[in-house]
């Protein structure tokens, strides 16, 4: 190979390898989402299991339909900012549930609520049942985080508007004994055997949503790798052969 062909060859190889790697990553993400959707479909068919009030294995409950009973602590509720629903800005509401017959608490991802469009820092009023409730939803090991520009400082004692949240941070902030999982609430809470409308939206996206998008991105990356290979053959290999004649 001529010296002049080395640089474009190395550049084409680097681009092609990167494109194939990114395509493979998109395929893996699609496979992961398919697996999560299959797990959700199985959980929908299974009966809900009770969240233990004692020691529990979060991995064993992850993705399962669960039921937790206790009292929601409205005064310890926090609002996670920058969460949208159908293009409307709002908050995800988190409240600890003091489990019946235990000093432990489980964090409930209760739902979404719109924020005040005139004052984004103003927290909305919550309708929280005061008695013992039954919360049904899906267990997950922790909360998803959104990208932050820089690391946010830990929330102060009176801070109830957060950029991100996780069980460990909430436990430290609240001083409560927390179970190592989150229950993503699926239906209205039941108090005294009746549903209580709390005004929160619980239209959670399916875990398998976006599979076609990932496969589409994978196709684009693979197509780029093929294009680069074709251009390399056309402008490097053929020209080198032609020059050598």
């Amino acid at each position: 190979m001529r010296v002049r062909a080395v640089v474009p060859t190395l550049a084409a190889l680097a681009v092609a390898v990167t494109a194939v790697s990114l395509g493979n990553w998109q395929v893996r993400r699609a496979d992961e989402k398919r697996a999560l959707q299959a797990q959700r479909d199985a959980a929908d068919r299974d009966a809900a299991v009770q969240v233990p009030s004692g020691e529990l294995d979060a991995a064993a409950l992850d993705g399962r339909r669960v039921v937790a009973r206790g009292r929601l602590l409205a005064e310890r509720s926090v609002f996670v900012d920058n969460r949208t629903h159908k293009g409307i800005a709002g908050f995800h509401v988190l409240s600890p549930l003091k489990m019946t017959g235990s000093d432990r608490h489980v964090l409930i991802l209760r739902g979404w609520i719109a924020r005040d469009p005139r004052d984004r820092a103003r927290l909305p009023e919550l309708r929280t049942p005061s008695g013992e409730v039954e919360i049904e939803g899906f267990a997950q090991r922790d909360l998803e985080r959104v990208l932050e520009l820089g690391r946010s400082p830990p929330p102060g004692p009176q801070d109830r508007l957060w950029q991100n949240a996780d069980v460990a941070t909430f436990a430290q902030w609240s001083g409560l004994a927390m179970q190592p999982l989150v229950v993503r609430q699926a239906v209205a809470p039941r108090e005294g055997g009746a549903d209580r409308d709390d005004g929160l939206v619980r239209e959670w996206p399916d875990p398998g949503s976006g599979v076609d998008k990932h496969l589409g991105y994978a196709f684009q990356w693979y197509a780029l790798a093929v294009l680069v290979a074709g251009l390399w053959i056309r402008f490097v290999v053929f020209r080198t052969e032609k020059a050598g004649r």
Side-chain angles (χ1 to χ4, degrees):
M1 182 179 294
R2 294 177 178 270
V3 175
R4 288 190 303 175
V6 172
V7 173
T9 297
L10 292 177
L13 181 62
V15 173
V17 169
T18 300
V20 170
S21 297
L22 291 171
N24 292 341
W25 180 80
Q26 292 288 351
V27 170
R28 287 195 299 271
R29 287 290 294 140
D31 290 341
E32 290 170 1
K33 289 194 172 184
R34 286 196 191 99
L36 289 173
Q37 188 61 53
Q39 183 185 46
R40 168 62 59 79
D41 293 342
D44 284 336
R45 294 190 296 268
D46 295 338
V49 299
Q50 184 75 35
V51 177
S53 58
E55 296 289 338
L56 61 79
D57 183 358
L61 288 177
D62 189 28
R64 297 283 303 274
R65 180 181 288 275
V66 296
V67 170
R69 292 184 178 88
R71 185 172 64 86
L72 288 165
L73 305 185
E75 68 278 8
R76 288 293 187 178
S77 296
V78 298
F79 299 80
V80 186
D81 201 2
N82 297 318
R83 301 307 193 263
T84 60
H85 175 68
K86 296 182 178 179
I88 302 174
F91 312 102
H92 278 175
V93 179
L94 293 168
S95 297
L97 179 84
K98 187 179 187 304
M99 305 184 73
T100 300
S102 173
D103 62 351
R104 292 175 180 256
H105 304 72
V106 61
L107 193 57
I108 308 296
L109 177 53
R110 296 174 58 188
W112 176 91
I113 191 170
R115 75 182 184 205
D116 187 334
R118 294 166 296 183
D119 183 2
R120 64 175 298 160
R122 181 181 179 184
L123 301 181
E125 295 288 335
L126 285 180
R127 298 201 299 267
T128 303
S130 58
E132 183 179 272
V133 295
E134 179 181 275
I135 302 293
E136 182 175 343
F138 294 91
Q140 56 188 62
R141 295 197 202 187
D142 218 323
L143 294 157
E144 296 181 357
R145 299 178 66 86
V146 299
L147 181 65
E148 292 184 82
L149 298 177
R151 187 176 180 84
S152 299
Q158 304 303 319
D159 291 340
R160 298 180 65 201
L161 179 58
W162 297 13
Q163 295 302 311
N164 273 304
D166 55 64
V167 175
T169 300
F170 187 89
Q172 184 176 13
W173 173 81
S174 65
L176 300 174
M178 302 297 300
Q179 296 284 36
L181 59 76
V182 177
V183 175
R184 187 175 66 254
Q185 189 173 341
V187 296
R190 295 184 64 83
E191 182 181 21
D195 292 344
R196 298 298 184 195
D197 180 17
D198 54 14
L200 298 175
V201 177
R202 283 178 278 271
E203 296 177 4
W204 307 113
D206 289 332
S209 61
V211 169
D212 291 340
K213 178 186 69 175
H214 288 296
L215 293 178
Y217 288 154
F219 176 80
Q220 292 176 15
W221 286 118
Y222 291 147
L224 176 61
V226 172
L227 175 63
V228 169
L231 292 175
W232 176 76
I233 293 172
R234 171 66 179 82
F235 292 103
V236 176
V237 175
F238 285 174
R239 284 189 177 182
T240 301
E241 291 179 354
K242 186 177 180 180
R245 291 173 184 173

